[in-house]
Amino acid sequence: TSPAMAVGAIDEDPKARLDALLRAKEAPSEMLLTQKPSAADKKDDGKFAKYARMKKIGMPMVSIVNKMRMDGMSPQEIEEYTGEKVPGSEDKSEKTAAKGPAINIKDTKYDKYRKMQKLKMPMKTIINRMKLDGLTPAEMDAFQGKTPTDNKANAAAEKKKKQAEAMRQLAETMGLNPNSEALPSKVSKMKRIHWDIVELSQLRKTFWWDINKDTRYPQHIELGGKFELDFQVKQRKPRNMMGSQQLKIHGGLDSITVPKGRDRAGTKRRIAWIDGKRDQSIQIALKRICLPNEVIYDSIVDMDEEVLTLDVLEVIWEIVPNTDEQSLAESKVDEIGDDMEMVGVSERFHVEMSTIPEVKQQLSKWLFARTFREIYMDRLSQVDMMQKIAQAIRDSNALQTYFRVILSMGNLMNHGTLKGLAYGYKPESVVNLLSGIKDYSGSKDLCMFLYQFSYNQFPETRPIFEEFDIALKKAVRLEVSTIESNIIKMADEFTAIDLFMRRLHDDFHPGDTERFREYMSEFQEKQSSDMMNLKVKIQNATQICTKVAKYYCIELEDNKPEHLFKVIQRFVDMLATAKRTLLKLEKERRKEAARAAAQKERDQRRATRAAGMSVADRVSDKKKRAREEEEKGNLLFLDIQNAANAFAQRQESMQSKLEATLKEKRQLAQGKISASAQKDAIKRRVSAQVVEGGNGSSVGGLDMDEIKRLRALNLGPSSSNNAAAAPPMGNSLMVPGMEMQPVPENNAAEDDDDQKAMLSPFDAPPPGMENPMPDYGGVGMMAPMN
């Protein structure tokens, strides 16, 4: 067959075309099988015969090489058999050149360390001794048989560099702005924050994603050189281990006193079948409510809420018979017959209450209906508080700014590691670390620096305590799982009420339970919508808390939403503790500065006396130093000073306005209109009416009866003959035509003094309290700042 015909046949027959493709794919394998064997395959005898057989049966070359190594074959022999370069087959000269000069551990200077090793001393002790003797790390590694430290460091640095580059490329692929490494400029190494960073795959739709994409926020916040100096790594002194004190535990089973029971056998001659403790509790409850059995029975049947108040109903529910006690009482009635007088008090109560169908269950449902509104409002307030606090955490600019500052601090402190290139962190991993990292002096910690730095550099962080004041503390105490279970129980109770009413209707006479069923049906109609609303609200609140926790990369413990509140509350409490400690340190610093300033002033006085300075020069120098000290201070107390000064200014303004009003009244009493009243249109018109007089029955818009009433209250003018002798009160109402002499002009200065002396305690502050210090939420009381 010609090739053209063969090709035509293949094109026409699909099966022939498939066979041709399979033969073409098998061709390379056939070529390999027909190739000549390699040099290694020819070595089927001698030391390689075993490995040739392993290769013939199809074992992988890796397994053969491992077997050759186990048999003691050198790397050169393995290379000769496989034809490939094997790691470790390079010459010893190359290894020596790569490692540097060889270290001979058989040298005589290592004899004493070998002796210590023979004495079975710990290797750590031997290495410490070598450090004291000044041996190099390479010599210590060679003595232990370890790889040289330099090679390990280089390998670790290379690995870290590759990981950082891979992280940068992944960040660019995701659309993030790659982080650059933050390096300290003042110190070589800083303390580490061992936080849990957020993986790049989990950053999307979180707070860290937002601040990375937002160009308003810098990648690294400038923390200043003081931060680096305060939190640098220093040589720590060994800790003194104190002996533990044995605590003796007193008590135990011997400390528990069990009161002895009372034997009541044969003390009373009555028919009784109720247990002694139960009988005692029933009698105590009946004496407490002071209601006869007939009244209790009628009130339960009629559901009378005026007689059976909520407290009384709770007491009765405790003592009414349950299902078993009710069956027992019904059976005892037939046995007793006519001897009901011999039945005890508790037994008679059970007998009478047993005539009500399932009285215990009825009272239970009634109690639920009467307390539902209170429970509903309590649960609703808890759910609303959860939503409110979660939304406040989500929108808090102060909290977000603190988290940004911590991110910059952590990246700087973790410089040189992969944790120093973090795009975000898990807040719960940092909350417990900040207060444990001390500065170089040991007097402050990282949390105190965070609060002080943020307070001074970022004013938006200051209202964090007002944002999360009392509501967050209440939210921390919430147990969402308990609230959810309570709401589920409340919903289940509605279903149980419906089933119970159906059973009462089917099993008992309708007239015995008609009032109960009407009451509970009305309750269900009114409150079922509230119950549904509460179920929806708790689901929404839980979802909101979960979303906020995910936004800040906070892992909820056991999926409990309240864990979000606990993490934020711990952070806020940590800041509050840092604030109190800073204020305490600042007070101590001021006291010390005051003592130092006093000592310095004494020394300067001695020096000036010795130098012959005049009194005027010393006073001028003292004022100059006071101005310099006043210009100094912490911005933390600047707003306190401004607030105190503003309060004093408002007080002075109020006092000046009051004095002006008193002067206007005094001028009006003399028949004059003051200059301040002339400037105000209303005061000018009223004052003119008072001075010019009215129509005989009224003056200045006030009728004569009103003026007499004011005079009787010592608020109007007096008509006594000695009116001229007594100056008018500052709030007196002078009316033309009334018999009162005007005050002479030469007594104006005395009137001013009298009016000032007549100010009430609320008009002027007492001596020494012109600028009282306002309360700033725990900042503390300080001297007035003028």
Side-chain angles (χ1 to χ4, degrees):
T1 305
S2 64
M5 293 178 63
V7 172
I10 291 175
D11 293 338
E12 293 176 359
D13 189 3
K15 186 175 181 181
R17 187 167 59 252
L18 180 61
D19 293 339
L21 291 174
L22 292 174
R23 285 196 298 272
K25 293 181 69 176
E26 293 174 356
S29 302
E30 294 174 358
M31 293 176 61
L32 291 175
L33 292 174
T34 57
Q35 285 181 351
K36 294 182 180 181
S38 62
D41 293 334
K42 291 180 180 179
K43 295 178 181 179
D44 54 355
D45 56 354
K47 59 182 178 181
F48 298 112
K50 176 171 62 173
Y51 311 114
R53 290 192 299 270
M54 295 173 64
K55 187 174 182 181
K56 284 182 180 180
I57 64 176
M59 293 186 67
M61 184 56 68
V62 177
S63 303
I64 299 173
V65 171
N66 290 335
K67 181 61 177 175
M68 295 175 74
R69 287 175 178 168
M70 293 174 63
D71 294 342
M73 289 286 184
S74 64
Q76 290 77 14
E77 292 174 330
I78 298 174
E79 183 179 349
E80 178 185 355
Y81 180 77
T82 60
E84 297 178 357
K85 192 172 183 63
V86 180
S89 63
E90 61 269 11
D91 296 338
K92 292 184 178 179
S93 60
E94 296 179 0
K95 290 186 177 181
T96 306
K99 294 182 179 180
I103 298 174
N104 185 14
I105 61 173
K106 295 183 179 180
D107 196 296
T108 55
K109 68 176 182 178
Y110 302 109
D111 290 344
K112 64 177 181 179
Y113 308 118
R114 284 192 291 272
K115 290 180 180 179
M116 295 172 68
Q117 198 172 16
K118 287 181 180 180
L119 294 174
K120 296 184 179 181
M121 296 183 68
M123 181 57 68
K124 194 172 183 179
T125 305
I126 301 173
I127 295 301
N128 290 335
R129 184 61 189 175
M130 296 174 78
K131 288 180 182 179
L132 294 175
D133 294 342
L135 271 67
T136 62
E139 291 176 321
M140 289 184 282
D141 290 339
F143 186 80
Q144 298 179 80
K146 293 182 178 180
T147 307
T149 308
D150 295 339
N151 293 349
K152 288 184 177 181
N154 294 335
E158 188 65 24
K159 182 180 179 181
K160 182 238 175 199
K161 185 176 180 181
K162 291 181 180 179
Q163 291 176 343
E165 181 63 22
M167 184 183 295
R168 186 188 66 81
Q169 293 177 359
L170 180 58
E172 290 180 348
T173 305
M174 295 176 62
L176 290 169
N177 299 319
N179 274 358
S180 60
E181 185 174 3
L183 298 174
S185 59
K186 301 291 184 182
V187 298
S188 59
K189 189 176 181 181
M190 299 184 67
K191 296 180 179 180
R192 306 295 190 190
I193 296 182
H194 300 285
W195 55 13
D196 296 335
I197 64 175
V198 181
E199 299 295 336
L200 291 178
S201 59
Q202 301 174 355
L203 276 179
R204 196 175 296 275
K205 295 183 180 180
T206 64
F207 166 70
W208 310 115
W209 179 278
D210 294 344
I211 65 173
N212 181 269
K213 302 289 286 184
D214 199 333
T215 57
R216 295 177 301 168
Y217 303 135
Q219 190 178 89
H220 301 294
I221 297 176
E222 182 61 36
L223 300 173
K226 188 176 184 301
F227 171 72
E228 299 179 9
L229 295 174
D230 286 346
F231 294 95
Q232 62 176 313
V233 176
K234 67 175 182 178
Q235 188 69 27
R236 292 193 176 274
K237 298 180 180 179
R239 295 176 58 186
N240 294 325
M241 302 302 294
M242 303 297 293
S244 60
Q245 207 174 17
Q246 298 292 333
L247 298 176
K248 187 176 179 181
I249 301 176
H250 299 280
L253 294 175
D254 295 337
S255 61
I256 302 175
T257 58
V258 181
K260 297 181 180 180
R262 292 179 297 173
D263 186 12
R264 299 185 180 183
T267 55
K268 293 183 179 180
R269 295 179 60 187
R270 63 182 179 86
I271 301 175
W273 60 82
I274 299 177
D275 180 70
K277 292 183 178 180
R278 175 72 167 160
D279 175 59
Q280 184 180 9
S281 62
I282 292 173
Q283 294 192 35
I284 292 174
L286 290 175
K287 290 181 180 179
R288 177 181 172 186
I289 60 178
C290 296
L291 291 175
N293 295 343
E294 295 79 6
V295 175
I296 297 175
Y297 177 87
D298 295 338
S299 301
I300 294 176
V301 172
D302 298 336
M303 302 194 76
D304 191 347
E305 295 183 355
E306 294 182 359
V307 177
L308 298 183
T309 60
L310 189 59
D311 294 335
V312 174
L313 186 61
E314 290 177 350
V315 174
I316 293 177
W317 179 81
E318 293 285 345
I319 61 176
V320 293
N322 54 29
T323 305
D324 296 335
E325 291 175 338
Q326 192 168 359
S327 301
L328 180 61
E330 291 173 355
S331 63
K332 291 291 183 181
V333 171
D334 299 333
E335 298 179 5
I336 295 171
D338 297 334
D339 295 335
M340 289 297 298
E341 293 80 4
M342 303 301 297
V343 176
V345 177
S346 302
E347 287 77 4
R348 186 180 297 110
F349 174 77
H350 272 199
V351 168
E352 296 188 16
M353 294 300 111
S354 297
T355 56
I356 302 175
E358 298 193 20
V359 60
K360 188 85 170 181
Q361 292 292 329
Q362 286 195 37
L363 293 185
S364 176
K365 308 306 180 190
W366 192 14
L367 273 175
F368 173 76
R370 296 182 65 174
T371 58
F372 172 79
R373 198 65 192 172
E374 180 182 355
I375 299 174
Y376 168 77
M377 295 304 298
D378 183 51
R379 297 293 177 265
L380 185 63
S381 63
Q382 291 175 344
V383 174
D384 290 341
M385 182 170 58
M386 285 175 56
Q387 293 182 345
K388 180 181 177 182
I389 295 299
Q391 196 63 37
I393 293 173
R394 173 63 176 81
D395 301 334
S396 176
N397 189 23
L399 186 66
Q400 295 176 2
T401 305
Y402 271 116
F403 285 171
R404 287 197 300 112
V405 175
I406 294 174
L407 181 63
S408 296
M409 291 167 52
N411 280 333
L412 179 60
M413 297 178 71
N414 291 332
H415 68 94
T417 64
L418 288 178
K419 289 188 176 181
L421 297 172
Y423 290 81
Y425 59 89
K426 298 179 181 178
E428 65 267 26
S429 67
V430 177
V431 169
N432 299 325
L433 296 177
L434 295 180
S435 58
I437 302 176
K438 301 294 182 180
D439 65 352
Y440 197 82
S441 63
S443 59
K444 295 183 179 180
D445 54 35
L446 191 58
C447 183
M448 296 166 65
F449 175 85
L450 170 65
Y451 177 76
Q452 190 173 20
F453 177 82
S454 302
Y455 189 94
N456 294 332
Q457 301 296 328
F458 300 98
E460 62 267 24
T461 61
R462 298 177 185 178
I464 189 170
F465 299 113
E466 288 75 15
E467 292 179 2
F468 309 108
D469 185 15
I470 301 175
L472 182 59
K473 294 181 179 179
K474 292 181 179 179
V476 168
R477 293 193 291 268
L478 293 178
E479 293 184 4
V480 181
S481 59
T482 305
I483 297 175
E484 290 178 342
S485 63
N486 289 340
I487 293 176
I488 293 174
K489 288 181 180 178
M490 292 168 65
D492 294 341
E493 191 68 24
F494 274 79
T495 305
I497 289 174
D498 187 59
L499 296 176
F500 181 65
M501 288 192 299
R502 293 180 183 180
R503 192 171 74 248
L504 290 180
H505 182 270
D506 297 338
D507 297 347
F508 300 94
H509 190 276
D512 295 341
T513 59
E514 182 179 3
R515 174 58 185 150
F516 174 80
R517 287 185 284 109
E518 290 177 356
Y519 183 94
M520 300 309 296
S521 299
E522 184 180 357
F523 163 74
Q524 283 189 318
E525 291 177 1
K526 291 182 179 179
Q527 307 299 339
S528 57
S529 59
D530 292 339
M531 191 67 243
M532 185 61 65
N533 178 43
L534 188 60
K535 292 173 66 176
V536 174
K537 276 184 170 292
I538 187 62
Q539 293 176 359
N540 293 338
T542 304
Q543 292 177 0
I544 291 174
C545 294
T546 304
K547 289 181 179 179
V548 173
K550 187 176 180 180
Y551 180 71
Y552 286 109
C553 298
I554 297 175
E555 296 181 357
L556 297 180
E557 183 180 348
D558 297 333
N559 293 326
K560 294 181 179 179
E562 63 267 21
H563 184 68
L564 168 67
F565 307 140
K566 293 179 181 178
V567 173
I568 302 301
Q569 181 63 47
R570 285 203 301 269
F571 181 73
V572 175
D573 290 343
M574 182 180 62
L575 292 178
T577 303
K579 176 183 177 181
R580 290 193 297 268
T581 309
L582 281 172
L583 289 173
K584 182 179 179 181
L585 292 176
E586 180 65 17
K587 290 179 181 179
E588 294 176 355
R589 186 194 66 79
R590 290 193 175 191
K591 289 180 181 179
E592 186 65 27
R595 288 193 292 267
Q599 183 63 35
K600 184 178 180 180
E601 187 176 358
R602 288 194 294 268
D603 296 341
Q604 287 181 351
R605 284 201 299 267
R606 296 192 191 98
T608 52
R609 283 196 294 268
M613 287 181 65
S614 63
V615 176
D617 293 338
R618 290 199 298 270
V619 172
S620 176
D621 185 62
K622 183 177 180 181
K623 291 181 179 180
K624 180 180 179 181
R625 292 197 304 272
R627 285 194 300 270
E628 292 176 353
E629 291 294 333
E630 186 176 359
E631 292 175 357
K632 298 179 182 178
N634 196 329
L635 290 177
L636 181 62
F637 298 93
L638 183 60
D639 57 342
I640 301 176
Q641 180 180 358
N642 294 337
N645 294 337
F647 183 85
Q649 292 175 1
R650 290 197 302 270
Q651 204 171 31
E652 292 176 0
S653 175
M654 186 182 299
Q655 185 175 358
S656 63
K657 290 181 180 179
L658 181 61
E659 291 177 354
T661 303
L662 295 177
K663 288 182 181 180
E664 291 174 2
K665 291 183 178 181
R666 188 186 310 111
Q667 293 291 334
L668 186 63
Q670 296 174 1
K672 300 178 181 181
I673 303 177
S674 62
S676 60
Q678 290 286 352
K679 297 178 181 179
D680 191 296
I682 298 176
K683 289 183 178 180
R684 184 172 62 250
R685 184 172 65 251
V686 174
S687 300
Q689 292 179 0
V690 173
V691 172
E692 295 173 0
N695 53 9
S697 62
S698 64
V699 177
L702 300 176
D703 56 7
M704 301 304 296
D705 295 335
E706 180 68 15
I707 294 175
K708 291 179 181 180
R709 188 182 66 80
L710 294 175
R711 182 178 58 187
L713 295 174
N714 200 17
L715 296 174
S718 174
S719 60
S720 60
N721 295 329
N722 57 352
M729 298 289 289
N731 56 354
S732 299
L733 181 62
M734 296 299 299
V735 180
M738 306 293 288
E739 297 180 359
M740 176 169 284
Q741 299 296 330
V743 181
E745 292 292 333
N746 56 2
N747 293 335
E750 297 178 1
D751 293 342
D752 290 341
D753 297 336
D754 293 340
Q755 296 298 335
K756 292 180 181 180
M758 290 166 60
L759 292 175
S760 66
F762 297 96
D763 295 328
M769 289 297 289
E770 288 78 10
N771 293 322
M773 184 64 187
D775 188 7
Y776 280 87
V779 174
M781 298 300 295
M782 301 179 62
M785 300 181 181
N786 294 325

